[in-house]
């Protein structure tokens, strides 16, 4: 049973069976990663280009490792800033790379919809590694994989995403994916960080973290983007930490076991306290490992869709 | 040259005429009107079922010359206007150099006279501020004297409240409206899409409806205080329409226009990130369309203007957030208005002609057009029953950036007559 699409642009609209297939396939690759020899041959002879128009060491390394573990040839392309500031259009850049006979392109780009556009202008399979504030599907898939691994299901679990929902591609992809998989999803953050009409996506909105934690099974803590023009969204990091930071005290008050996820890199003692990040309920490091398995699964499944 | 227009339905809101009749045109002047006219030697054109209206004026186009001739020239813009059924346009000053100097006005006037032998009247709109930078007033009196019919920094708002106040005071001495691109730049900064469910789902930076509404409300108060004539370009939100309605009821000298895409499409069209759905103000929601239609019906919205904004293929062939705002509109305006407004009983035929011809001329204090013997023939002829499919490749405009490719529309221009010149659509 193959995937319905030959690209992975996002989880919005992706059928449940496709998400299920990716998660199940990732289980096998996760096992591969525990073997002494971690390399398998499915992408032998295939070339994957990683086009990163935004800095993201972690996601790029994770994709690269996944590609090499599958025996693909890997082409790296890093350009900070937008295509426009480089003086070359995305179309020209992409076509140049494709001219080198690339089979798959993984792209990170600052503009929402950039990967959808890319998929219209090139022949290769396109994998979205983050497009603006739109989607980051492999991150959400690895989050779901990790939750499922820890709590053995997604159906009817309550997952709360905390942080700047409005500007987060991680939040959007998680909302789309988790809703499709039957989870209860809530978002929590100051009103300035909650996008308009988000409840129409079927999520509950909370502004006070202590109101939601007592019913939550897993909390996905978003990184507060210090670099963004954030002073208009919240007054200070101290205030954010005091009112939204995930701390041990807060978790104890909630009175239940809550699995802690974070897409990384974490700002210790801002959105999450150090002791929580390092606690036994934190699955932050598992997420990193599972990320490789998820990306292997996605690359593998799409490579058979040419 | 003699032309006998036979059996057309003459709809002239100024004289109150709405009847089937013949018009004999001699050397660009209406010589005779009546039923069953005979004129041996005249070229006869059968127009049964077609509407003969006073020439349409699009008071909001971007013709890109001088400075951006690769998008559109005055000549190609005039050809597009004529093909779309317009005998006159007002061109916005965001050219390079901008229309903040009378020499640019004279340049445009001379180019317009050369284009199609002057068939389309091109009325320049002068900049409100030097370089459209929003800092110092442009020479409004000189511009008005040279032929500017209004002032606008369109593309950008006049954001500074004090400067807007002064612009309204100053332009009022010359009976010229200030046309505002109403957008509070602090609220819309970096935005590309209406703020709402669609932008939330697509992760696009937002231009909240508020950005338009707070500026319209502020400007109305400035217009009321100064007595200056204020016109809102391309209204797009329900609250902006409501604010204009309330101001009119109070007797404030305010008018407004709407672009056809704002009564046709919603932000749902952005799914897929087609850059031809990117315009400013952005496509809004179904509720806004309903409010706009009500505003058209009850007279709150005076005019239909296209905001014709040509861009080259390459400029639009980029990421959504990177693409320039705007779409071409001249050649789909009548089709969209007939399809969305006339056929859906939002407007009567007479009202439609008012929005396209009578009202924009009134706002700009241009001489009214009368369809009667002795008057110069300034006519738009269109077929309100013609079904057609939009093919941007067939546009006379130099650019093809339209979101309406493939749309099936009803209503299409048949021909235009003005200044002794005529242009007829080739029947397809
Ligand atoms: Zn404008």
């Amino acid at each position: 049973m193959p995937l319905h699409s030959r690209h992975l642009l996002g989880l919005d609209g992706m059928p449940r069976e496709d998400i299920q297939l990716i998660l199940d396939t990732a289980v096998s690759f996760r096992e591969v990663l525990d073997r002494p020899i971690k390399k398998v041959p499915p992408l032998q002879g295939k070339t994957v280009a990683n086009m990163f128009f935004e800095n993201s060491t972690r996601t790029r390394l994770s994709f690269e490792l996944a590609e090499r573990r599958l025996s693909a040839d890997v082409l790296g392309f890093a350009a900070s800033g937008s295509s426009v500031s480089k003086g070359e259009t995305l179309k020209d850049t992409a076509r140049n790379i494709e001219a080198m006979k690339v089979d798959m392109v993984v792209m990170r780009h600052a503009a929402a919809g950039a990967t959808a556009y890319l998929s219209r202008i090139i022949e290769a399979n396109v994998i979205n590694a983050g497009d603006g504030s739109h989607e980051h599907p492999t991150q959400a898939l690895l989050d779901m994989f990790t939750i499922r691994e820890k709590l053995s299901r997604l159906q009817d679990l309550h997952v709360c995403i905390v942080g700047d929902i409005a500007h987060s591609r991680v939040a959007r992809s998680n909302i789309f994916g988790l809703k499709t998989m039957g989870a209860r999803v809530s978002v929590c953050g100051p009103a300035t960080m909650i996008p308009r009409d988000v409840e129409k996506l079927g999520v509950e909105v909370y502004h006070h973290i202590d109101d939601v934690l007592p019913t939550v099974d897993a909390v996905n803590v978003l990184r507060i983007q210090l670099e963004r023009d954030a002073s208009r969204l919240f007054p200070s990091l101290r205030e954010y930490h005091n009112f939204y930071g995930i701390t041990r005290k807060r978790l104890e008050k909630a009175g239940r076991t809550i699995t802690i996820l974070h897409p990384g890199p974490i700002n210790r003692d801002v959105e999450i306290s150090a002791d929580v990040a390092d606690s036994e309920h934190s699955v932050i490091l598992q997420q990193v490992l599972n990320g490789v398995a998820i990306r292997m699964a996605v690359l593998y499944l799409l490579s058979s869709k040419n | 040259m003699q032309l006998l227009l036979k059996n057309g339905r003459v709809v002239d809101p100024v004289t109150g005429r709405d009847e089937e009749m013949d018009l004999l045109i001699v050397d660009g002047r209406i010589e005779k009107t009546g039923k069953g006219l005979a004129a041996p030697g005249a070229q006869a054109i059968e127009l049964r079922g077609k509407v003969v209206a006073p020439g349409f004026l699009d008071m909001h186009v971007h013709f890109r010359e001088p400075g951006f001739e690769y998008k559109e020239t005055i000549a190609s813009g005039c050809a597009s206007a004529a093909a779309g059924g317009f005998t006159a346009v007002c061109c916005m000053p965001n050219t390079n150099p901008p229309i903040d100097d009378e020499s640019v006005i004279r340049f445009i006037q001379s180019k317009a006279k050369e284009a199609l032998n002057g068939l389309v009247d091109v009325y320049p709109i002068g900049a409100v501020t030097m370089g459209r930078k929003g800092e110092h007033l442009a020479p409004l009196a000189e511009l008005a004297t040279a032929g500017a019919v209004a002032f606008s920094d369109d593309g950008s708002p006049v954001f500074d409240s004090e400067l807007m106040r002064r612009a309204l005071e100053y332009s009022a001495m010359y009976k010229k409206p200030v046309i505002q691109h109403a957008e509070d730049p602090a609220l819309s900064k970096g935005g590309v899409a209406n703020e709402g469910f669609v932008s939330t789902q697509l992760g696009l930076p937002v231009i909240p409806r508020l950005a338009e509404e707070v500026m319209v409300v502020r400007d109305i108060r400035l217009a009321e205080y100064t007595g200056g004539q204020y016109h809102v370009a391309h209204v797009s939100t329900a609250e902006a329409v409501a604010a204009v309605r309330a101001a009119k009821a109070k007797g404030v000298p305010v008018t407004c226009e709407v672009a056809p895409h704002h009564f046709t499409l919603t932000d749902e069209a952005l799914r897929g990130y087609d850059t031809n759905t990117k315009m400013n103000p952005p496509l809004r929601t179904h509720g806004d369309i309903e409010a706009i239609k009500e505003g058209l019906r009850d007279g709150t919205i005076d005019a239909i203007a296209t905001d014709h904004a040509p861009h080259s293929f390459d400029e639009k062939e980029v990421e959504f957030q990177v693409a320039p705002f705007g779409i071409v509109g001249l050649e789909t305006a009548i089709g969209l208005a007939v399809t969305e407004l006339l056929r859906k009983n939002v407007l009567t035929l007479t009202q439609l002609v008012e929005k396209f011809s009578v009202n924009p001329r009134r706002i700009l204090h241009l001489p009214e057009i009368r369809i009667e013997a002795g008057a110069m023939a300034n006519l738009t002829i269109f077929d309100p029953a013609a079904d057609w499919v939009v093919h941007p490749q067939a546009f006379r405009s130099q650019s093809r950036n339209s979101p309406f490719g493939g749309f099936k529309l009803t209503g299409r221009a048949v021909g235009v007559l003005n200044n002794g010149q005529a242009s007829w659509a080739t029947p397809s």
Side-chain angles (χ1 to χ4, degrees):
Chain A
M1 185 186 68
L3 294 175
H4 284 85
S5 170
R6 52 186 297 273
H7 307 293
L8 177 63
L9 306 179
L11 300 190
D12 190 7
M14 178 180 270
R16 185 180 174 124
E17 62 262 35
D18 281 12
I19 294 177
Q20 194 78 49
L21 176 62
I22 294 170
L23 297 180
D24 293 346
T25 308
V27 173
S28 325
F29 287 118
R30 176 67 188 75
E31 284 160 18
V32 169
L33 296 176
D34 284 335
R35 292 182 200 160
I37 295 185
K38 300 176 176 60
K39 202 158 178 156
V40 286
L43 261 61
Q44 210 151 44
K46 300 251 183 196
T47 307
V48 185
N50 297 316
M51 293 172 58
F52 277 67
F53 292 95
E54 260 189 349
N55 291 328
S56 165
T57 314
R58 283 163 183 254
T59 304
R60 193 153 71 99
L61 286 179
S62 179
F63 267 108
E64 263 184 43
L65 191 60
E67 290 151 11
R68 292 186 200 284
R69 294 275 189 252
L70 292 168
S71 307
D73 294 318
V74 179
L75 205 60
F77 176 89
S80 51
S82 70
S83 54
V84 163
S85 69
K86 265 196 85 239
E88 186 178 51
T89 65
L90 174 58
K91 187 178 190 173
D92 286 333
T93 307
R95 289 205 162 157
N96 267 285
I97 287 175
E98 192 172 45
M100 299 178 210
K101 301 286 178 203
V102 164
D103 301 289
M104 310 178 89
V105 174
V106 176
M107 184 169 79
R108 159 70 59 94
H109 196 288
T115 30
Y117 169 65
L118 182 72
S119 73
R120 287 198 293 269
I121 57 172
I122 66 171
E123 286 301 313
N125 306 95
V126 173
I127 298 173
N128 185 359
D131 63 327
S133 302
H134 179 221
E135 287 230 38
H136 191 356
T138 58
Q139 177 69 47
L141 287 163
L142 76 88
D143 291 347
M144 289 192 284
F145 182 92
T146 308
I147 295 171
R148 199 179 70 160
E149 187 181 54
K150 179 88 173 172
L151 303 174
S152 62
R153 66 190 166 101
L154 291 168
Q155 182 79 41
D156 298 328
L157 286 183
H158 182 185
V159 180
C160 180
I161 308 164
V162 183
D164 185 359
I165 311 300
H167 298 98
S168 173
R169 49 190 167 222
V170 175
R172 279 180 181 75
S173 286
N174 264 286
I175 290 169
F176 299 136
L178 285 165
K179 288 300 295 180
T180 302
M181 298 312 286
R184 172 182 169 194
V185 183
S186 56
V187 295
C188 181
T192 47
M193 292 179 168
I194 304 296
R196 213 162 167 87
D197 295 339
V198 72
E199 58 293 341
K200 288 187 189 164
L201 293 174
V203 305
E204 300 156 44
V205 176
Y206 291 88
H207 296 306
H208 303 289
I209 187 77
D210 296 322
D211 291 350
V212 65
L213 285 181
T215 60
V216 158
D217 298 296
V219 61
N220 201 337
V221 187
L222 300 178
R223 174 183 165 78
I224 283 298
Q225 303 279 4
L226 305 172
E227 56 270 30
R228 190 168 281 125
D229 188 11
S231 63
R232 289 175 176 263
L233 299 180
F234 65 104
S236 70
L237 291 176
R238 188 197 65 228
E239 178 158 314
Y240 186 85
H241 178 72
N242 285 342
F243 287 81
Y244 296 95
I246 303 298
T247 61
R248 186 169 288 275
K249 201 170 142 215
R250 222 163 227 143
L251 291 172
E252 277 164 9
K253 200 169 136 205
R256 62 189 277 146
T257 305
I258 299 175
T259 300
I260 309 292
L261 296 98
H262 191 299
I266 62 177
N267 300 309
R268 277 176 187 263
D269 296 321
V270 180
E271 70 266 2
I272 189 166
S273 66
D275 53 356
V276 170
D278 300 332
S279 76
E280 73 276 21
H281 301 304
S282 158
V283 290
I284 296 173
L285 291 177
Q286 284 93 309
Q287 285 176 276
V288 177
L289 179 61
N290 292 340
V292 179
I294 279 289
R295 289 174 178 124
M296 288 172 81
V298 167
L299 288 157
Y300 167 74
L301 290 168
L302 289 178
S303 71
S304 60
K305 292 277 301 178
N306 277 310
Chain B
M1 199 194 66
Q2 299 199 6
L3 215 52
L4 182 60
L5 307 182
K6 294 185 69 67
N7 301 314
R9 178 175 169 187
V10 173
V11 177
D12 178 10
V14 172
T15 58
R17 185 174 287 202
D18 181 356
E19 58 184 316
E20 206 171 90
M21 56 168 30
D22 300 346
L23 301 176
L24 177 65
I25 318 270
V26 178
D27 296 331
R29 190 173 295 279
I30 301 171
E31 185 80 13
K32 250 192 231 173
T33 67
K35 290 193 202 295
L37 292 185
Q43 183 194 352
I45 296 172
E46 176 57 48
L47 292 176
R48 193 175 296 280
K50 317 285 192 283
V51 173
V52 180
F56 285 5
L57 164 66
D58 184 346
M59 64 182 296
H60 192 144
V61 304
H62 299 272
F63 274 2
R64 308 305 191 195
E65 189 178 3
F68 307 98
E69 291 82 357
Y70 65 95
K71 299 174 194 254
E72 191 89 285
T73 61
I74 289 163
S76 67
C78 285
S80 182
F86 292 90
T87 64
V89 297
C90 297
C91 57
M92 283 294 177
N94 58 338
T95 47
N96 184 20
I99 311 179
D100 60 5
D101 188 279
E102 57 182 313
S103 63
V104 185
I105 291 191
R106 279 196 284 274
F107 169 82
I108 291 167
Q109 287 165 337
S110 76
K111 286 282 177 181
K113 279 211 179 64
E114 291 165 19
L116 307 171
N117 291 318
L119 168 66
V120 177
D121 297 315
V122 178
Y123 298 108
I125 293 172
V128 178
T129 66
M130 285 308 293
R132 300 173 49 256
K133 291 198 175 92
E135 292 162 5
H136 310 286
L137 282 184
L140 305 186
E142 286 174 14
L143 293 170
T145 307
V149 294
F151 302 106
S152 180
D153 277 356
D154 186 59
S156 309
V158 181
F159 180 44
D160 184 312
S161 304
E162 200 253 344
L163 201 54
M164 185 62 180
R165 170 202 168 151
R166 299 305 177 201
L168 285 163
E169 287 172 338
Y170 208 95
S171 63
M173 297 189 295
Y174 298 88
K175 282 196 170 341
K176 308 290 178 201
V178 175
I179 301 176
Q180 178 72 295
H181 170 115
E183 175 188 354
D184 181 325
L187 282 166
S188 66
K189 189 177 160 197
V192 297
N194 178 55
E195 182 174 32
F197 179 59
V198 172
S199 66
T200 289
Q201 197 165 6
L202 298 184
L204 288 169
V206 298
I207 302 176
R209 55 186 58 254
L210 269 183
E212 176 169 331
E213 292 154 0
V214 297
M215 191 165 281
V216 168
V217 168
R218 177 201 76 171
D219 287 348
I220 284 170
R221 184 70 194 109
L222 290 172
E224 185 178 22
Y225 187 79
T226 60
Q229 189 189 340
Y230 175 59
H231 178 82
V232 193
H234 41 54
V235 284
S236 71
T237 84
E239 283 301 321
V241 173
V244 172
R245 181 181 290 117
K248 283 186 167 186
K250 267 178 95 180
V252 182
V254 51
T255 52
C256 68
E257 72 193 29
V258 68
H261 46 270
H262 284 130
F263 59 67
T264 306
L265 299 174
T266 68
D267 55 0
E268 291 290 331
L270 271 65
R271 298 182 189 284
Y273 301 93
D274 178 355
T275 55
N276 285 332
T277 62
K278 180 177 174 180
M279 59 283 277
N280 193 6
L283 295 173
R284 304 286 186 187
T285 65
H286 185 68
D288 296 299
I289 290 185
E290 289 305 305
I292 284 167
K293 286 181 172 174
E294 186 50 41
L296 281 162
R297 191 184 286 126
D298 73 8
T300 301
I301 300 175
D302 303 88
I304 299 169
T306 67
D307 195 5
H308 179 82
H311 292 293
S312 76
F313 177 80
D314 280 346
E315 286 174 304
K316 282 285 199 181
E317 183 68 355
V318 291
E319 305 88 307
F320 192 89
Q321 279 170 244
V322 174
F325 291 107
I327 61 168
V328 290
L330 282 164
E331 292 168 72
T332 47
I334 287 180
L336 292 168
V338 169
T339 305
E340 294 299 321
L341 305 177
L342 188 65
R343 308 278 288 194
K344 293 183 178 172
N345 297 315
V346 175
L347 297 181
T348 64
L349 197 50
T350 300
Q351 286 175 312
L352 188 90
V353 171
E354 285 170 347
K355 310 285 184 194
F356 270 123
S357 177
V358 181
N359 296 349
R361 296 186 81 88
R362 267 187 201 145
I363 291 166
L364 299 164
H365 310 286
L366 293 168
E368 64 186 14
I369 300 168
R370 305 173 80 92
I371 304 180
E372 62 186 15
M376 286 301 290
N378 183 343
L379 303 173
T380 288
I381 300 156
F382 66 98
D383 183 350
D387 294 317
W388 62 293
V389 178
V390 179
H391 295 299
Q393 291 309 320
F395 285 165
R396 301 292 304 276
S397 167
Q398 206 167 290
S399 293
R400 277 94 182 83
N401 51 309
S402 169
F404 298 113
F407 271 52
K408 291 188 178 71
L409 299 181
T410 303
R412 193 172 195 181
V414 171
V416 285
L417 284 77
N418 188 30
N419 296 330
Q421 303 295 318
S423 163
W424 299 94
T426 40
S428 55

